[in-house]
Amino acid sequence: MQRICVIGGSRYFGKLLVERLAATGHQVTVINRGSHQPPAPVEHLVVDRNDEASLLAALGPRTFDVVVDQVCYTPVQAAIAARAFAGRTRRYVMTSTIEVYDPATAALPAVPAGVPVREESVDPATWRVALDLPWHDEAYLDAHYAEGKRQAEAVLTRAGGFAFASVRSAHVLGGGVQEFTGRLAHYAEHVRQGKEITVHAKALPTVFIHYEELADLLLWAATATGFRGPVNACSDGLLDVRALTAIVAAQAGRDPSYRVVAAGEPASPFSYDRHYAMSNARAKGWGFAFSRTVDWLPGAVAEALAASPAPAPAA
């Protein structure tokens, strides 16, 4: 049994992670602001992680074997966490994102299309940190989501006081109504309703992961290994937007309707005119076995279709 603190962990794959940690006998403490109740039986500390004094007061004398941070989006949040948990945990795992590799959001090493991006393409040990940017502003943070994650990783990598690992998640799908991003629901609705799906003329493939598999990988990262640094989390196999839509269309029994947009213009989720699909070789090398996207995606699509509005009857 380990003492594990999960920051966030009250919905989607975070909630599932907490449930699985508790089910495997770990002593779990969940920290959040109280808007969502964690699954029982776990300890629940209601506190704003952005308020350092309140966080320290809530933690009291507690120590942990591992902290899993599901909701660290900025270097300021990371700096508060680094101070609060230094000497209080031996290991800190942060949930990060494939978006750290998006070449539209930073000057990154060029990777040829079709070559999976490896973790060293974004090295948090050398990434520049700017704590004085307006990270508290929601609009700024939304527009700089990828950079916030890169800088958060950088702060925690350099913090000392604990071993640090970041899990860079691919696009997460599955869970039907639980899937709060709504991206698979977008396709289910558009195909069923005959709405246009906007795509780039040369849409490039990306990578995905099922929410249950991501929960499993986070549990593994927290409890079963001693690795440090970033690790990519994605199921095997790349899909572009048309291949994904074809799976939706096959189950919906309707042909999709596409409209092509110019390079650089906004398009439907998962239509990319730039390449940053990840490699999962590092996690495999450390012993994690991934599923294949094409094996679990039809089930996730069925859940999304079941939750999407039925087409309106013809007049």
Side-chain angles (χ1 to χ4, degrees), residues 138-221:
E138 289 189 12
Y140 181 87
L141 178 57
D142 184 61
H144 296 83
Y145 170 72
E147 182 61 17
K149 285 288 192 179
R150 286 187 287 257
Q151 292 195 26
E153 286 191 41
V155 168
L156 290 164
T157 296
R158 301 169 197 170
F162 43 68
F164 174 66
S166 58
V167 173
R168 294 173 176 170
S169 170
H171 307 293
V172 188
L173 299 177
V177 294
Q178 296 184 59
E179 189 191 338
F180 62 88
T181 65
R183 292 174 294 185
L184 196 52
H186 170 92
Y187 286 95
E189 178 183 350
H190 278 60
V191 170
R192 291 189 70 179
Q193 302 285 347
K195 298 178 181 178
E196 280 187 340
I197 296 168
T198 53
V199 298
H200 295 100
K202 295 182 179 180
L204 295 173
T206 188
V207 286
F208 302 90
I209 191 166
H210 192 272
Y211 82 108
E212 292 186 4
E213 186 165 41
L214 182 54
D216 287 340
L217 189 140
L218 287 166
L219 188 152
W220 167 81

Side-chain angles (χ1 to χ4, degrees), residues 9-99:
S10 57
R11 59 178 182 163
Y12 206 29
F13 59 84
K15 181 180 179 181
L16 186 57
L17 169 65
V18 170
E19 291 172 347
R20 292 186 175 177
L21 287 168
T24 49
H26 298 291
Q27 181 181 322
V28 183
T29 297
V30 171
I31 293 175
N32 62 31
R33 291 180 295 181
S35 56
H36 295 85
Q37 289 293 317
V42 300
E43 181 183 37
H44 186 199
L45 302 181
V46 178
V47 63
D48 183 352
R49 57 131 353 119
N50 299 306
D51 185 333
E52 187 169 354
S54 296
L55 177 59
L56 289 169
L59 288 170
R62 293 173 180 81
T63 60
F64 306 98
D65 296 298
V66 188
V67 174
V68 182
D69 194 341
Q70 297 279 76
V71 288
C72 188
Y73 301 109
T74 75
V76 175
Q77 291 176 324
I80 290 171
R83 291 190 294 267
F85 289 97
R88 198 186 289 271
T89 185
R90 61 175 179 80
R91 183 166 176 77
Y92 200 104
V93 177
M94 172 189 153
T95 303
S96 191
T97 174
I98 186 177
E99 300 304 330

